[in-house]
Amino acid sequence: MIWQSTSAQQTQALARQLAAHLFPGAVVALWGDLGAGKTAFVRGLAQGMGVAGRVHSPTFGIVHEHAGTPPLYHFDLYRLTEGLADSGLDEYFDRGGVCALEWPGRAGDELPQERLDVFLRGQGEQARTIEMQARGARHQTILESMQ
């Protein structure tokens, strides 16, 4: 499915809509260049999940945990220097929260096979194209419920 966004507010609104359909254990992999709106998208997810507090990229800590039901685990894998399993980060996928991963390509083969891929294309003040592709039946139900 493909959407157009002309602002960070529209990107966040789409993510809030998506959040209503996520389930504990869902993995959302955010693909895009610097400035494509990945963190803005996660802010919208957090808002839609009722997460209180500031959401920003966890660049130096790699993951931020946000309390909620379910919790939101926000990853920024840009600086990942070892594999997910070697760093212990793979354990988050079994903790019953929603995992939102920026720079998922850095996980290589350790990226969960079952996930929702979100491709953000565009930078800065430009309009964005946001495309979502499901991998696996459970994540496919998310897209079906958003139609």
Short mmCIF file of all heavy atoms in Angstrom, two decimals, residues 1 137 139-147:
data_model
loop_
_atom_site.label_atom_id
_atom_site.label_comp_id
_atom_site.label_asym_id
_atom_site.label_seq_id
_atom_site.Cartn_x
_atom_site.Cartn_y
_atom_site.Cartn_z
N MET A 1 0.85 -1.17 0.00
CA MET A 1 0.00 0.00 0.00
C MET A 1 0.89 1.23 0.00
O MET A 1 1.94 1.25 0.65
CB MET A 1 -0.90 0.00 1.23
CG MET A 1 -1.82 -1.21 1.31
SD MET A 1 -2.87 -1.21 2.77
CE MET A 1 -4.04 0.03 2.30
N ALA A 137 1.95 -13.55 7.56
CA ALA A 137 0.50 -13.46 7.64
C ALA A 137 0.02 -12.49 8.72
O ALA A 137 -0.93 -11.72 8.48
CB ALA A 137 -0.09 -14.86 7.90
N HIS A 139 1.46 -9.84 9.95
CA HIS A 139 1.68 -8.45 9.55
C HIS A 139 0.81 -8.08 8.34
O HIS A 139 0.46 -6.91 8.17
CB HIS A 139 3.17 -8.22 9.29
CG HIS A 139 3.99 -8.21 10.54
ND1 HIS A 139 4.38 -9.37 11.18
CD2 HIS A 139 4.44 -7.20 11.31
CE1 HIS A 139 5.04 -9.07 12.28
NE2 HIS A 139 5.10 -7.74 12.39
N GLN A 140 0.45 -9.06 7.52
CA GLN A 140 -0.45 -8.79 6.40
C GLN A 140 -1.81 -8.35 6.90
O GLN A 140 -2.46 -7.49 6.30
CB GLN A 140 -0.59 -10.04 5.51
CG GLN A 140 -1.48 -9.83 4.29
CD GLN A 140 -0.95 -8.78 3.34
OE1 GLN A 140 0.24 -8.68 3.10
NE2 GLN A 140 -1.85 -7.97 2.81
N THR A 141 -2.26 -8.88 8.04
CA THR A 141 -3.55 -8.49 8.57
C THR A 141 -3.56 -7.00 8.96
O THR A 141 -4.61 -6.37 8.91
CB THR A 141 -3.95 -9.33 9.81
OG1 THR A 141 -2.98 -9.17 10.84
CG2 THR A 141 -4.07 -10.81 9.45
N ILE A 142 -2.41 -6.47 9.32
CA ILE A 142 -2.31 -5.04 9.63
C ILE A 142 -2.69 -4.23 8.40
O ILE A 142 -3.53 -3.31 8.46
CB ILE A 142 -0.89 -4.66 10.10
CG1 ILE A 142 -0.56 -5.36 11.42
CG2 ILE A 142 -0.74 -3.15 10.23
CD1 ILE A 142 0.90 -5.26 11.82
N LEU A 143 -2.08 -4.55 7.26
CA LEU A 143 -2.38 -3.80 6.02
C LEU A 143 -3.82 -4.00 5.59
O LEU A 143 -4.48 -3.04 5.16
CB LEU A 143 -1.43 -4.23 4.91
CG LEU A 143 0.03 -3.83 5.09
CD1 LEU A 143 0.84 -4.25 3.87
CD2 LEU A 143 0.17 -2.34 5.35
N GLU A 144 -4.33 -5.20 5.71
CA GLU A 144 -5.72 -5.45 5.33
C GLU A 144 -6.68 -4.64 6.17
O GLU A 144 -7.69 -4.13 5.66
CB GLU A 144 -6.02 -6.95 5.45
CG GLU A 144 -5.31 -7.77 4.40
CD GLU A 144 -5.38 -9.27 4.65
OE1 GLU A 144 -5.99 -9.70 5.66
OE2 GLU A 144 -4.80 -10.02 3.84
N SER A 145 -6.37 -4.48 7.44
CA SER A 145 -7.26 -3.71 8.32
C SER A 145 -7.17 -2.21 8.05
O SER A 145 -8.07 -1.47 8.44
CB SER A 145 -6.97 -4.02 9.78
OG SER A 145 -5.65 -3.63 10.13
N MET A 146 -6.12 -1.76 7.38
CA MET A 146 -5.98 -0.33 7.08
C MET A 146 -6.62 0.06 5.75
O MET A 146 -6.74 1.24 5.46
CB MET A 146 -4.49 0.06 7.08
CG MET A 146 -3.89 0.06 8.45
SD MET A 146 -2.18 0.64 8.46
CE MET A 146 -2.38 2.36 7.99
N GLN A 147 -7.07 -0.90 4.98
CA GLN A 147 -7.66 -0.58 3.67
C GLN A 147 -9.02 0.04 3.82
O GLN A 147 -9.77 -0.23 4.67
CB GLN A 147 -7.74 -1.82 2.80
CG GLN A 147 -6.39 -2.30 2.38
CD GLN A 147 -6.45 -3.54 1.49
OE1 GLN A 147 -7.49 -4.13 1.28
NE2 GLN A 147 -5.32 -3.92 0.97
#
